[in-house]
Amino acid sequence: MDGEQLTAQETALYDRQIRVWGADAQRRLSKAHILVYGMKGTVAEFCKNIVLAGVGSLTLVDDRMVTEEVLSSNFLIPPDENLYSGMTLAELCCNSLKDFNPMVRVSVEKGDLSSFGVDFFDNFDVIVVSSCSLAAKKLINKKCRTASKRVAFYTVDCRDSCGEIFVDLQDYRYSKKKLEETINCHLQYPSFEEAISVPWKTLPRKVSKLYFATRVIEKFEEVEGRNPGEASTADLPGVLKLKKELCDAHSLNESHVPDNLLERLVTNTSEFPPVCAIIGGILGQEVIKAISGKGDPLKNFFFFDALDGKGIIEDISSDSNTGK
Amino acid sequence: MASQQQLSVIKGTKVLMVGAGGIGCELLKTLALSGFQDIHIIDMDTIEVSNLNRQFLFRQSHVGQSKAKVARDAVLKFRPHISITAYHANVKDPDFNADFFKQFNVVLNGLDNLDARRHVNRLCLAADVPLVESGTTGFLGQVTVHVKGRTECYECQPKPAPKTYPVCTITSTPSKFVHCIVWAKELLFAKLFGDKNQENDLNVRSSDAESSSEHKDDVFERKKDEDIEQYGRRIYDHVFGYNINLALSNNETWKNRNRPRPIYSGDVFTNELTRQNGNMDKNFATDDGTSVSAMAYLGMKNPQDIWSLVENSRIFLEALKLFFTKRGKEIGNLSFDKDDQLAVEFVTAAANIRATSFGIPLHSLFEAKGIAGNIVHAVATTNAIIAGLIVIEAIKVLKNDTSSYRMTYCLEHPSKKMLLMPVEPFEPNKSCYVCSETPLLLEINTLHSKLRDFVEKIVTAKLGMSFPLIMHGSALLYEVGDDLDEYMVANYAANLDKVLSELPSPVTGGTMLTVEDLQQELSCNINIKHREEFDEEKEPEGMLLLGWTQPFLAAEKDDNKSNGNDASTSNASTTATVEAEMDDEIDVIHAGKKRKLSEESKDAALGISRVADGTKNHKVLEVLADEDDLVMLGDEETGTKKKRLL
């Protein structure tokens, strides 16, 4: 490959995982630069996973202060006011993460990610955002797409006992081994905006109900001018009304978006730690795949609901649903 | 999800975690975040460097310390007000008996070996405490729920047997690199550095037919005052040169095979041997035996490099010399350990030289170490996912939400679009000797087999008992324990060497033996059937245990080699067993019969089969169904598909 070798220290530390993905992938990981935005429990899990895996650098963006909700699911922040007061979430998480793996550079960037210029995005290989408004997700995704090189974009969010991951690897080529042959694969991803614009009635009948429910909540928060996760049981009538409107607009039978699911998502907007671990684990695995070019990456949504225990991949793109 | 009712259930729970390793670290964190307030954790291991890539509660500075205790301290930093009790101990210690287990509402396993898993399973059954069991390998993982009387126990289904190889393949006709590794590790290394008195049926020789005479064993003895360099080259020439030549003389063997090439040290190092150890005088190593390295002495750094024949030969001679000069005291007591750098170097070099003879591609030290140590692949992400799933199942168990119990598979490649696949748990196996009272049947030659054979091969190796007690009716034949009086000990020792039919209370065809383990509170009956002949190839143990679904199962070693009943059992003469060291390993994926929890759900929707690639433990899941909502495992022959809505 590039001729550079892993050091003895790296080989010893990463022994067990090099046996999973090879020295080559490990070298690529060590050159990857990752940025995360929105330091709640799921992102904390993700950061732990990729810092342990040995990425080159991790940049944290989140200027918010500690809240009860963040403390409840983010194990990177000590629950001691003397320790956390005056520091932003990104700064606090940075301090803990640095400790996990001295070979990874962890740093903080202040500001609002969606207002950063496109050239800033050039510095990264992967951008992961969480707890973002619909508009911010679209905008950041767009900037990743206009950067001078390919910047992979992910969104991740957990509510109640459910979680969602969205992936945009743009134009992605990778190779995989099938028996003795190496096959070159090519995947074309839609942007977040393109994906959620796919008419609902063209989607396969069995698409995860969480997909629709999440879109309804996302839209509700935008229409009402709420911050992500800022909803309560009192909002349920409004959410159900919006659901009806959206289903009508998409000519989709309302039974695809069960009321009780929407009720769960507005009643308990905080993260459930076991689900953070699961979603943060899947996301970590996906980012490692995308960086190393090893293994089939998921395209382009992933859903988990602890209630039925299924972790499902859905391909929501205009080209993949024809004829189904 | 985090309803008030659920939170109060969690808060009032006392949970026991067994294992503070890959899954354990993740699990302890997730339990603490989820609101559990009284957690006990047992782990006998100490922290190693290769743990740090995934066991995120540990740092470089903790290497050598107790996993359980460091994990506790790390979690208390972000959850200071909960109670975590850490035990740096073996879960098989008698202190952790059924009464100890009874204080817990649920037991969560994050273990790395079959032996301990079986032990915990039995104690959970004895104490009637639900068990959530787990395992991971690379990107694969699984979580299962075991509730006495409701779902199958951990031992209701067969567990994969360790991969074994015919002895002649190892000693005479290797065709894969793993054969060379087994030869180097189990035969050569054991012969040179292991217990000299231990019966080693696997003599180092090139052909079974040629060298039945035992005088050649002397070759391996270092003569008095023999120069260490000379000794090394003598061993080298004997095993890689002379023995291969000897084997070549048997033309029959090579009719349909490529003939191996004998390799003599003189040919490899034409005239440069004297210079090869130029670094020898430099003071590299400390006196700490395990840090001695032939690679360091020879200035070779990269464990990913594949060495040339000359390099392998140098490492071989250098490692051998270092064992004698730096670690002389250990010789005679060494057994291969994947964390022993010098041992790994020696085995890598020896395997590569042998591979060169047989035209087999060479491997790097890194790869050879993985094969020799049966190192299981492990990444943080899978462990984190599995830990999350364990907590979800544990909460269902605590809420007694029985209809929601699931076993969940974490897959590398999606199946039916799923990366996480829940499956309804199976009901108990009615013929399971652990959780039912079904007797077993043992076919054995009661006129030839000794009680010792029965104890070692059946009671210890197959039934996994640590403190067995064997009874024939009311007559005690054998017992292991700390508080036995001398008379009994002598009596039992004498019984061990008697053939079954000559015991004080003779065991013959038709006899029923009762075997108990008082610590595990497990008792089972074994009906004895006398049988004269056994097939040496197919039934190398000379006995056959039936009546339970598992055809064979050798006890597995855990990291600390606490279990000595593997390769040394007295007539392992037909197979060389490769033990799996499991690091949070996924143990089994069921391919068994239809075993449903609920009556109305029937027929298989899914067949899952497991293919183990001997050295790498790759599992392949094969999924046959494409219906929705609930997937069930079952008989592959069952053609019909059914679904059941939640």
Side-chain angles (χ1 to χ4, degrees), chain A residues 17 45 48 160 285 311 313, chain B residues 1 26 29 53 381 417:
Chain A
Q17 66 197 40
E45 287 279 349
K48 171 207 70 191
D160 193 72
Q285 228 146 275
I313 298 170
Chain B
M1 190 79 183
E26 294 287 342
K29 171 258 301 166
N53 81 317
T381 48
K417 301 196 303 189

Side-chain angles (χ1 to χ4, degrees), chain B residues 83 129 135 189 319 408 413 624:
Chain B
S83 161
V129 179
F189 186 89
T408 306
H413 305 291
L624 305 173

Side-chain angles (χ1 to χ4, degrees), chain B residues 233-245:
Chain B
R233 294 186 65 144
R234 193 162 59 75
I235 296 296
Y236 187 109
D237 290 342
H238 181 79
V239 299
F240 301 118
Y242 173 80
N243 274 350
I244 302 287
N245 266 330

Side-chain angles (χ1 to χ4, degrees), chain B residues 442-508:
Chain B
L442 179 68
E443 297 182 357
I444 189 167
N445 188 325
T446 54
L447 301 174
H448 290 156
S449 293
K450 292 176 179 170
L451 183 64
R452 179 187 305 282
D453 298 322
F454 174 70
V455 170
E456 287 179 355
K457 292 175 194 168
I458 301 297
V459 178
T460 311
K462 288 214 166 60
L463 305 184
M465 292 185 177
S466 315
F467 293 96
L469 179 149
I470 302 171
M471 285 184 299
H472 178 197
S474 58
L476 259 171
L477 296 176
Y478 182 68
E479 186 178 4
V480 173
D482 299 329
D483 50 353
L484 307 177
D485 63 42
E486 273 174 44
Y487 164 76
M488 296 301 280
V489 171
N491 199 10
Y492 294 143
N495 280 352
L496 279 180
D497 288 318
K498 290 184 178 146
V499 298
L500 295 177
S501 59
E502 287 165 14
L503 284 164
S505 172
V507 173
T508 56

Side-chain angles (χ1 to χ4, degrees), chain A residues 5 11-21 23 45 48-49 52 71-73 75 79 99-100 160-161 206 268 272-274 277-278 281-282 284-285 296 302 304 306 308-314, chain B residues 1-2 6 26 29-30 33-34 50 52-54 56 59 77-80 139 302-303 338 366 370 375-379 381-382 384-385 388-389 391-392 395 414 417-420 422 627-629 646:
Chain A
Q5 287 180 347
T11 309
L13 177 64
Y14 302 133
D15 184 285
R16 296 303 189 269
Q17 66 197 40
I18 292 172
R19 294 180 194 281
V20 177
W21 51 59
E45 287 279 349
K48 171 207 70 191
N49 293 335
L52 290 172
L71 278 184
S72 74
S73 57
F75 60 92
D99 218 25
F100 282 13
D160 193 72
S161 55
K206 281 184 185 157
N268 194 350
F272 182 48
I278 292 164
I282 298 278
Q285 228 146 275
D296 300 310
F302 178 81
F304 177 77
D308 64 13
K310 283 191 274 190
I312 296 186
I313 298 170
E314 297 289 0
Chain B
M1 190 79 183
Q6 179 166 309
E26 294 287 342
K29 171 258 301 166
T30 304
L33 289 174
S34 302
S50 63
L52 302 178
N53 81 317
R54 63 195 186 284
F56 77 103
R59 304 285 173 269
K77 282 192 181 140
F78 62 83
R79 282 294 178 274
F139 294 121
N302 188 354
K338 68 176 176 13
F366 180 83
I375 295 174
V376 170
H377 313 174
V379 288
T381 48
T382 315
I385 294 165
L389 292 168
V391 176
I392 288 171
I395 291 171
K417 301 196 303 189
M418 280 187 274
L419 282 176
L420 301 174
E627 269 309 315
D628 150 344
D629 282 310
L646 284 171

